[in-house]
Amino acid sequence: MSERRARTSSISAAPTLPQPSSPIRTGRASTRRAYRPGATAPDDFANGALCSPRSAVSLSFMCVHTSMDLRLLLLGSPTTPDRAVLVAVDDLAHPTIGAVITALGLPLAPTSIDGRRVDPDQPAAELLVDGATITQHAGQPPSSAPSAVGVAVVAGPDAGRITHLAEGATLVGRDLSAAVVIDDRTVSRRHLEIHVIGGGVSLHDLGSVNGSRAGIQWLSTPAPVAFDALVHVGASSIRFHSIPATTLPSAAACGGRIALVRPPRQQPRGPQPIAPPPRAQGASRLIAIDVVSIAVPVLFALLMAVAFDPRFALMGLIGPVLAVSNHIGQRRRARRDNARREISDRQARTRFRNDLVAARAAHERDLHERTPDLGEIARRIDHDVAGLWERRHAHDDFLSLGVGFGAIEWTPAFTGEARDIDETARALLDQHRLIDDVPIVIDAHHPVGIRGEPTDALALARALVVQAATLHGPADLRLVVATTDARSAEWAWTAWLPHTHDPRADTRLVVAGEVALREMVEQLLGAAQGDDVAHTVVIVDDASLVANRATPIRQLLAGLRGATAIVVASPTAPLPSLCHTVIDVAADMVVTVTVPARASIQRSVTATRLAARMARFVDPEASSATASLPAQVTLLQLLGNDIDASTIAARWDASRAAASFVVPIGVDGDGPLMIDLVHDGPHILVAGTTGSGKSELLRTLIA
């Protein structure tokens, strides 16, 4: 069993709102109320999280027309809670944004929708979508100058909050007067100052108690910071990013909801192997002078000189001279070769160090890309919807969720066998073995247990749910929330999520109480035969709900394919044995994960706002019981199941007689969809992404 501790991220609880009173109606006639798939019926507001007095509003300026039933979130301030309202907008009557604001009982003050300034005379049907956030600016209207830099809280109680920064100095702290408020007791009231100049960012700690640092650098003096750097502010963490230009989505296309067509995902390449560490080449061996080989010729020459002629002594000197000169040459060549080998070894070690640093940095980037932090999650919901629902059930990181930041051990992959690693290379490997401030990940394919004080454990569970809903679409992931009556308000925000909507029964899979829980389980198990949702994650906000195999939740987990659970328990309550991963949440925002070792948390106000921003999206790949089109249709169904030789010959004769070439290619709302290759042609362009069915369509045309 391994353990890992990590700095955590967190989301806080949404305000509890009472039940609605009678709807407010404006105009001359009432509007017919029709709750379509994806909309929230009045029963969903009974828990008090999505409605308040005067919060069900019907806008109509003509006779009865079909209206868009939208849930809107009126954003509050640090001292006032957010408020949710239900609005029926008659898209044929063309009400304006000003009419909506007036019907809601709000003053006609400068207003922003989804963070963008709007004009009161703009048509409401073109701007409002399900889950739109409305902000009214008291006093001075917001600056029209676009902000190029944003700061996101990625760890700590306020994780997931994004603030747009203007040019100049911005105060960060716990004080409500700060431009970036971080409600964390480890953050000083005036903690840090951000300077934005020309798109660049520099930071200066203002003498805070717990300090500020980027990596290992303490920010006691003004210092520039890169956008991808993680900056620790007390026990919380922030990260900077650029803000792309955004346009408000059009609600007219699909009754206030947007079909989010996901492009093919470009998965990260993963870790790339590097060359193994070089082995040092040994120094050239110096050969000593052979004294015997020199002495023998000299002695022989001396004997010859004595016996015959003194000039023989000169011949005896030739051998020693050649031997000495050869030895000197060898030493010179050895020194030259050793110098070359030393340069080669130094270059090889430098290449290995550079490859090691680059591989470590690439692995760190890969970890962050695969597991985006809560700030990046919020940025995708607000600005980069191409990153929403990018994971499919076939991806290797499906249901891999981050629970915070921490240090992991890393060993590079080598292209060959690493043998005889010398001390220098081993020291380099040890120096880069730990990677700090990277996401700690759990595999939620198997049940996860969260143990801690109620507030802290709930914050972590919220973060996991928001991540799961952002990274996985409703076609691949269903979310079910089971809680008690006493804690139902803590989970009311999940009713915004498209993943908790069951289109077959047009209900929300957020229940409290034993009776409602049993009814929901029977509903899901009864429809399990034709269920095409790949995975179901059940959030269990009381460990007693899964205490034994006879409980409805355990029956649901056993009856649905790909079902798993996230179980929240108090520090003293025993977690069920089905939990494969156990996470202990401490009060100091540090999470300890056991088996298989991974760590993150969030506030409910932030979770509510993020969930509301996702309410506008529908997954076109998710099946719907009320959809007019089937999920698929076969060629025999289009041609008629009684196809034989006589019917084929009859079709050929009819085609020749009509001088046409009509073939079915699918179905629409009126029945089979036909094209005439003679009158509609003579050419056809078939386009689509890889795996979209281009080849199958061509086979259909030929058949």
Side-chain angles (χ1 to χ4, degrees), residues 12-91:
S12 80
T16 300
L17 302 173
Q19 287 186 317
S21 58
S22 299
I24 300 173
R25 292 179 171 84
T26 61
R28 295 190 300 271
S30 63
T31 301
R32 177 166 55 88
R33 309 298 297 273
Y35 291 92
R36 299 177 296 277
T40 301
D43 290 345
D44 295 321
F45 290 75
N47 56 23
L50 298 177
C51 200
S52 68
R54 294 173 51 84
S55 64
V57 180
S58 177
L59 297 173
S60 177
F61 299 91
M62 296 175 63
C63 294
V64 177
H65 296 295
T66 301
S67 62
M68 296 189 300
D69 300 302
L70 306 178
R71 297 166 297 172
L72 307 180
L73 187 63
L74 309 182
L75 300 187
S77 65
T79 57
T80 59
D82 297 348
R83 184 165 63 94
V85 297
L86 179 63
V87 176
V89 178
D90 191 333
D91 51 0

Side-chain angles (χ1 to χ4, degrees), residues 346-367:
R346 188 163 55 248
Q347 291 174 342
R349 286 195 295 269
T350 301
R351 283 195 301 271
F352 176 68
R353 180 188 295 107
N354 294 338
D355 290 347
L356 185 66
V357 172
R360 184 179 184 273
H363 184 63
E364 185 174 353
R365 284 195 304 271
D366 179 70
L367 292 174

Side-chain angles (χ1 to χ4, degrees), residues 128-196:
L128 293 180
V129 292
D130 195 36
T133 56
I134 298 178
T135 307
Q136 289 207 305
H137 306 277
Q140 295 295 325
S143 173
S144 59
S147 178
V149 179
V151 58
V153 183
V154 299
D158 285 331
R161 284 183 49 198
I162 295 180
T163 304
H164 294 191
L165 302 177
E167 286 278 328
T170 302
L171 177 64
V172 179
R174 201 173 72 251
D175 196 287
L176 295 180
S177 64
V180 180
V181 179
I182 301 180
D183 188 10
D184 177 359
R185 60 180 177 274
T186 65
V187 175
S188 299
R189 294 188 177 277
R190 295 174 54 84
H191 195 107
L192 181 71
E193 196 169 62
I194 303 172
H195 292 270
V196 178

Side-chain angles (χ1 to χ4, degrees), residues 260-282:
L260 181 62
V261 180
R262 290 169 279 184
R265 182 188 182 191
Q266 301 295 324
Q267 286 191 274
R269 294 180 57 191
Q272 300 297 312
I274 62 175
R279 286 179 289 177
Q281 306 177 52

Side-chain angles (χ1 to χ4, degrees), residues 274-281 352 414-423 425-426 429:
I274 62 175
R279 286 179 289 177
Q281 306 177 52
F352 176 68
F414 297 118
T415 55
E417 185 179 359
R419 297 180 301 172
D420 303 328
I421 301 178
D422 61 21
E423 293 184 1
R426 194 175 300 280
L429 290 172

